[in-house]
Amino acid sequence: MLDAFRKTPLPITLAILSFISPTELSLVVGDLRLSAHRVVFLIFIPFALYRLAFRPDCRLKLYDVPFFGLAVWQIFAFTYHGGQAGFIFGGSSALESLGAYTIARAYIRDLETLQAAMRIVFYSIVLAALIALLDTLTGTHFIHELLRKALGGPPVPPVEFRKGIVRAASTFDHPIHYGTYCAAMFALIWMCEPKKTWRFVRAAGIGAAAFLAMSSAPLLSLSVQCAMMAWNRFTVAVPFRTQITLAILVGLYLGILLVSNRPPVQILISVATFDPWTGYYRMLIWDYGLENVWGSPWIGIGLADWERPKWMYSSTIDAYWLVLALRTGIPAFLLVASGIIMICYGVVTRGRGSRDPLRRRISAGWLISLIGICLLGATVHYWNVPHALLYFVLGLGSALADTKRVKSAASLLTQPMRPRHPSFIRPQSRPSLPGAALPA
């Protein structure tokens, strides 16, 4: 454990630990709430930007531009609709997205550091799970009630039950946020672990931790990631495996569409959710939410309430991708989508072109985790920690996709070297320096 903390840069360590910090420990400055991860981002964003501007091994790339553009667009859109209140909300959202992305992008520069960071993520999940277990055993939001009794604040929302079991929230704002944090980087944590036994130990721990949230979306994400890891493992020698798999899936979808009296999505919801009504309600959110998006496609509706039938009394929209387009317009969604596509292309290209099996495995793990967290975003609204977590994962991918070369191998000889896995910089052609990299 201590070795993982020693090898992980301080900003990454603090960012991960801040993700499991309860909201009650936030600093409130006027109308601005500074949660632990926002404080970390405020402190280290200048240093991360400096590294991206001047470090030769992590210069800005084309795929970084959409995320800077998103931050600017969010501030503009929310300010346009809400004035000062909108500026504060948009600035907070931009701080979470850009802060998480740039810190992961700038400080994860080699595979050894990424592996160490994933070990810390696993330790944080274990700690959150232990607190979640207290929720389950006591039938309360244990840590939240304890802190609010000590520090004051509004009453804790009542505990939810599902199948007779408490939906544990641990240190997070909602059980589904806790489950999302446990499930989001499952494949990447698995692929980063070199020892087979420890992979299964960590998989069992993450699965048990996610189960305590009693939320179908994170468990479905875990199942999808496991299925994709199995597919990646057993079809590696099959030519055109991606195209064949997509053709099979499209065929199954069309077949179900022809023989069933219900859409395939409704069938999936009825089978894969604890509460089919909740899944159906989320489909209605998408139906009416998209109508609002087309009503204001360019600049969104800001923080205004969205139009829907009166019987849909809750203003909550359980879908991050829908909220992004609804609140700040289709351009915001396109910025994120274009950034994700470019990063994925870079990660896949570098992974396939590498002779290092560790790099190929980790690239596959990151891509599978990204698919899992993106699918979760279709049924879960990412705010507070999950919002920052999404862009932290994207920042990890941008580091994997970085193809920056060292201009001169001779310059590396003047740098202090330390044993580690090959860095994200491509290895030099000279056999005498097979894994040369600038020190992180």
Side-chain angles (χ1 to χ4, degrees):
M1 179 183 294
L2 293 178
D3 187 57
F5 283 95
R6 181 179 61 83
K7 293 179 179 179
T8 306
L10 180 63
I12 299 295
T13 300
L14 293 179
I16 295 170
L17 295 179
S18 70
F19 290 154
I20 61 170
S21 176
T23 303
E24 287 81 3
L25 299 181
S26 302
L27 298 175
V28 179
V29 182
D31 295 329
L32 182 63
R33 180 180 62 83
L34 293 175
S35 56
H37 63 276
R38 290 179 181 177
V39 172
V40 172
F41 297 160
L42 276 175
I43 293 173
F44 289 105
I45 273 184
F47 299 100
L49 293 176
Y50 177 85
R51 290 169 69 92
L52 290 175
F54 298 106
R55 288 267 303 209
D57 62 332
C58 58
R59 292 290 179 86
L60 287 169
K61 299 291 183 179
L62 182 61
Y63 51 70
D64 296 320
V65 175
F67 300 102
F68 286 90
L70 174 68
V72 174
W73 183 262
Q74 285 180 317
I75 294 173
F76 165 73
F78 282 114
T79 303
Y80 174 84
H81 287 291
Q84 182 179 355
F87 177 78
I88 293 174
F89 188 91
S92 299
S93 182
L95 173 63
E96 289 182 343
S97 60
L98 190 61
Y101 178 84
T102 55
I103 288 174
R105 169 79 166 88
Y107 286 96
I108 299 291
R109 301 309 308 154
D110 54 65
L111 299 182
E112 183 185 38
T113 304
L114 179 57
Q115 288 178 299
M118 288 302 101
R119 286 196 291 271
I120 294 178
V121 170
F122 174 71
Y123 299 147
S124 69
I125 291 173
V126 171
L127 179 58
L130 292 175
I131 297 174
L133 187 60
L134 291 175
D135 290 359
T136 302
L137 295 177
T138 62
T140 64
H141 293 310
F142 182 83
I143 195 68
H144 293 293
E145 292 192 359
L146 182 67
L147 289 175
R148 294 194 187 188
K149 287 179 181 178
L151 303 175
V156 180
V159 174
E160 298 179 44
F161 289 82
R162 185 165 284 174
K163 304 295 183 181
I165 302 175
V166 172
R167 298 189 67 193
S170 186
T171 60
F172 295 82
D173 293 322
H174 193 277
I176 202 168
H177 285 192
Y178 161 64
T180 297
Y181 183 75
C182 294
M185 289 184 279
F186 172 75
L188 184 56
I189 292 173
W190 172 282
M191 295 296 192
C192 281
E193 175 52 53
K195 296 181 180 180
K196 186 176 181 179
T197 301
W198 279 107
R199 288 182 200 168
F200 286 100
V201 169
R202 293 183 181 183
I206 291 172
F211 177 79
L212 293 175
M214 290 301 292
S215 181
S216 54
L219 294 177
L220 183 60
S221 176
L222 282 177
S223 301
V224 169
Q225 291 181 65
C226 288
M228 292 191 68
M229 286 192 295
W231 172 85
N232 182 66
R233 172 67 177 83
F234 295 111
T235 64
V236 66
V238 178
F240 305 106
R241 58 176 180 166
T242 302
Q243 293 87 336
I244 293 173
T245 303
L246 290 176
I248 293 173
L249 292 176
V250 171
L252 288 173
Y253 182 89
L254 294 177
I256 295 173
L257 199 62
L258 290 174
V259 302
S260 175
N261 58 357
R262 292 187 298 167
V265 175
Q266 287 189 12
I267 297 175
L268 177 63
I269 287 174
S270 64
V271 172
T273 58
F274 287 113
D275 186 355
W277 164 247
T278 300
Y280 178 70
Y281 188 84
R282 286 176 177 170
M283 289 186 60
L284 294 177
I285 288 176
W286 271 96
D287 290 340
Y288 292 108
L290 286 173
E291 291 183 6
N292 283 258
V293 171
W294 301 129
S296 183
W298 297 110
I299 200 70
I301 64 172
L303 296 175
D305 197 8
W306 56 296
E307 296 182 3
R308 60 195 183 278
K310 292 182 179 179
W311 59 268
M312 296 179 67
Y313 58 90
S314 175
S315 61
T316 301
I317 303 176
D318 293 319
Y320 173 72
W321 306 115
L322 180 59
V323 171
L324 184 65
L326 178 66
R327 299 295 180 194
T328 52
I330 295 177
F333 173 79
L334 293 178
L335 283 169
V336 178
S338 62
I340 290 175
I341 291 171
M342 286 189 284
I343 292 174
C344 288
Y345 177 80
V347 171
V348 171
T349 302
R350 291 224 64 204
R352 286 180 177 176
S354 175
R355 296 181 180 179
D356 181 7
L358 176 63
R359 185 190 302 278
R360 294 197 300 269
R361 190 170 71 242
I362 289 179
S363 296
W366 176 85
L367 187 61
I368 292 171
S369 287
L370 177 68
I371 292 173
I373 198 171
C374 286
L375 289 175
L376 266 173
T379 58
V380 177
H381 176 33
Y382 294 149
W383 50 277
N384 205 12
V385 170
H387 180 241
L389 182 67
L390 168 64
Y391 291 92
F392 184 80
V393 172
L394 290 173
L396 297 178
S398 66
L400 280 168
D402 195 346
T403 58
K404 182 68 179 177
R405 290 178 180 268
V406 178
K407 293 183 178 179
S408 172
S411 65
L412 297 175
L413 300 178
T414 63
Q415 301 290 340
M417 301 298 294
R418 54 181 175 177
R420 57 172 58 209
H421 292 293
S423 79
F424 290 130
I425 305 170
R426 285 183 176 175
Q428 303 301 303
S429 58
R430 290 179 58 185
S432 60
L433 293 172
L438 291 177

